[in-house]
Amino acid sequence: MTDYRLIYFSENRLPLGQLAAELDAILDKSRQNNVLVGVTGALMFSAGYFVQVLEGEQGAVEATFERIQQDSRHGDVQLVDFSPVAERTFSNWSMAYAGRREDASDELDAIGTKSGFDPSLLDGHQLFDKLKSRLLEAA
Ligand code: FAD
């Protein structure tokens, strides 16, 4: 069965004070759900944006993304890429967090005035590379 990779970014809608705790809750729930349907991937948070990669069978990735899009903890969800891949990149992670926990509690980074990170300026490959390098930095 061919695996697919989906990449999106979205805007945070959580108050900054709740962000770190909600991020933990999102990761816990993601790991529980994703392992049941064979979805793997990685999530990062930077400068008020989430960037996420989901990998797995087409139907499982689509169903997961449908649920994620309904979530009021973020908004303006922008699909960047959804394509078949020869192999998964995050096969060992039901949902890796690609970043430092402090990113989520660093108010300047959360607002976006410090890093200047703007995912709308990057294409799918660039976002994917950013996630991978963040994951390596965090390891
Ligand atoms: P429940 O956890 O029982 O939730 C029921 C409903 O309540 C859902 O509609 C849920 O969205 C909503 N809900 C639950 N908690 C909150 C809350 N604190 N604030 C607002 N609404 C809430 N889920 C995955 O399965 N895999 C992922 O990879 C994944 N990645 C995510 C990435 C981001 C950036 C965000 C914001 C969410 C992500 N989620 C992911 C969570 C997803 O959006 C759903 O909340 C979750 O999948 C619902 O799980 P459930 O069906 O077991 O329902």
Side-chain angles (χ1 to χ4, degrees):
M1 186 78 83
T2 307
D3 280 326
Y4 278 69
R5 176 182 299 138
L6 185 152
I7 304 174
Y8 77 84
F9 67 88
S10 60
E11 285 181 16
N12 173 47
R13 296 280 190 262
L14 287 163
L16 295 181
Q18 291 174 24
L19 197 52
E22 283 292 342
L23 199 47
D24 282 339
I26 287 167
L27 288 169
D28 281 351
K29 174 59 79 173
S30 301
R31 287 165 182 157
Q32 280 168 29
N33 286 346
N34 295 355
V35 80
L36 296 175
V37 294
V39 166
T40 55
L43 174 71
M44 70 175 252
F45 176 84
S46 188
Y49 293 98
F50 294 100
V51 180
Q52 191 172 28
V53 173
L54 300 168
E55 303 171 326
E57 289 182 8
Q58 184 174 8
V61 171
E62 282 172 354
T64 301
F65 186 53
E66 279 298 316
R67 275 201 319 279
I68 292 171
Q69 286 182 90
Q70 308 301 319
D71 198 313
S72 59
R73 290 171 284 189
H74 64 168
D76 201 9
V77 178
Q78 309 270 339
L79 178 65
V80 178
D81 190 32
F82 187 35
S83 336
V85 284
E87 60 180 333
R88 298 185 191 206
T89 301
F90 304 106
S91 54
N92 293 330
W93 290 280
S94 54
M95 189 47 59
Y97 181 61
R100 297 166 304 134
R101 269 291 181 286
E102 306 87 79
D103 289 347
S105 47
D106 180 334
E107 292 199 7
L108 286 175
D109 196 39
I111 294 164
T113 51
K114 192 171 70 176
S115 74
F117 175 66
D118 181 352
S120 66
L121 299 176
L122 303 178
D123 66 22
H125 288 295
Q126 290 167 320
L127 280 176
F128 186 65
D129 287 345
K130 180 102 187 155
L131 247 169
K132 274 200 302 189
S133 60
R134 278 266 192 143
L135 197 56
L136 289 175
E137 278 169 24

